Amino acid sequence: MDSQLMCAGIVLAGGESRRFGSPKALAEWNNRTFIEYSIESLSPFADKILVITREELLTPLTKNSSMHIRILKDAPRYKGKGPLAGIYTGMISQKADYYLVTPCDMPLMSSSMYGKWLAAAREGEYDCVIPVLNGKIYPLNGVYKRTCLPDITSCLQENIYKVLKLLQRKNTQYIEVNKEEEHFFKNVNTTNELNRIIELSFD
């Protein structure tokens, strides 16, 4: 990889977790928090990692901070405006060429996926590389080039908060998820879904 290129990771950990009942970022599986799994999935390819969260989670998440990992809250102007605001906050807080984005509720996600998407983004000079699984787009996983920042800013200014709207404006490559990669995309919205992942790990 070109040593001149800078990659930053953005972990989106600001959701309300209403269905789960408690902050998913702090949920545990195999004695590790979901946020630790998210950080691990980005670490091999990210020079810096930014965890974007809500004010009330700043303190409990600080134990994950280090020289390479910063815990941040949304830029005040777009506080609570969803994932697009989280990506915006990451981009204005850390200059990089590419941003690897992940939600905090996919503890099975593999760093190998980010390696593949990053290579595709660089080879094709795409603004965004986003996975698609069984026809469903996963805009909170993938690679976003810094060239997205002006359009993210204008979306937010126009009260457009859907990440899919941004993808329509940019040169986006959608990559189909292979059958053997599908299990990486199990996201956890309820405690029942967490229990199912725990069961699967023991099968």
Side-chain angles (χ1 to χ4, degrees):
M1 185 167 288
D2 185 342
S3 60
Q4 301 305 306
L5 279 178
M6 166 87 174
C7 291
I10 298 175
V11 181
L12 300 169
E16 296 285 340
S17 306
R18 285 192 190 95
R19 286 164 62 194
F20 195 74
S22 61
K24 285 190 277 188
L26 303 174
E28 291 197 8
W29 173 52
N30 281 351
N31 297 317
R32 297 174 69 203
T33 59
F34 279 19
I35 207 76
E36 290 175 282
Y37 286 107
S38 298
I39 289 167
E40 186 178 77
S41 72
L42 303 181
S43 289
F45 302 101
D47 302 287
K48 298 272 186 187
I49 293 178
L50 311 157
V51 177
I52 316 297
T53 192
R54 308 197 307 278
E55 181 129 27
E56 59 268 33
L57 294 183
L58 285 173
T59 302
L61 288 174
T62 49
K63 68 180 177 65
N64 297 289
S65 65
S66 69
M67 260 178 62
H68 302 292
I69 301 166
R70 294 166 64 198
I71 316 296
L72 304 168
K73 58 183 178 179
D74 272 337
R77 186 173 179 184
Y78 302 117
K79 180 183 172 187
K81 298 298 185 186
L84 200 59
I87 296 170
Y88 169 84
T89 301
M91 285 189 173
I92 64 165
S93 302
Q94 178 65 57
K95 198 158 193 266
D97 300 288
Y98 291 95
Y99 297 84
L100 318 180
V101 175
T102 190
C104 71
D105 61 358
M106 285 189 180
L108 302 181
M109 182 50 69
S110 168
S111 59
S112 63
M113 301 303 291
Y114 285 94
K116 182 159 93 169
W117 300 332
L118 184 58
R122 294 185 57 209
E123 284 160 21
E125 296 189 355
Y126 295 107
D127 297 307
C128 314
V129 173
I130 304 295
V132 179
L133 171 56
N134 299 327
K136 182 183 176 186
I137 296 169
Y138 282 78
L140 306 192
N141 293 93
V143 177
Y144 291 79
K145 204 172 181 180
R146 187 162 185 86
T147 48
C148 292
L149 184 55
D151 280 300
I152 293 175
T153 305
S154 59
C155 280
L156 292 169
Q157 286 171 347
E158 294 161 31
N159 300 320
I160 295 167
Y161 303 123
K162 288 196 180 303
V163 184
L164 291 174
K165 294 288 188 188
L166 169 75
L167 299 180
Q168 289 165 9
R169 296 184 179 196
K170 302 309 291 179
N171 180 17
T172 300
Q173 163 84 323
Y174 296 97
I175 293 191
E176 197 67 44
V177 174
N178 299 330
K179 189 82 182 153
E180 64 273 16
E181 298 165 341
E182 288 185 9
H183 66 285
F184 297 147
F185 290 81
K186 285 193 186 305
N187 67 332
V188 177
N189 290 310
T190 65
T191 48
N192 282 344
E193 287 173 358
L194 174 56
N195 291 335
R196 182 72 192 122
I197 281 183
I198 293 168
E199 283 167 21
L200 283 172
S201 64
F202 286 110
D203 282 353

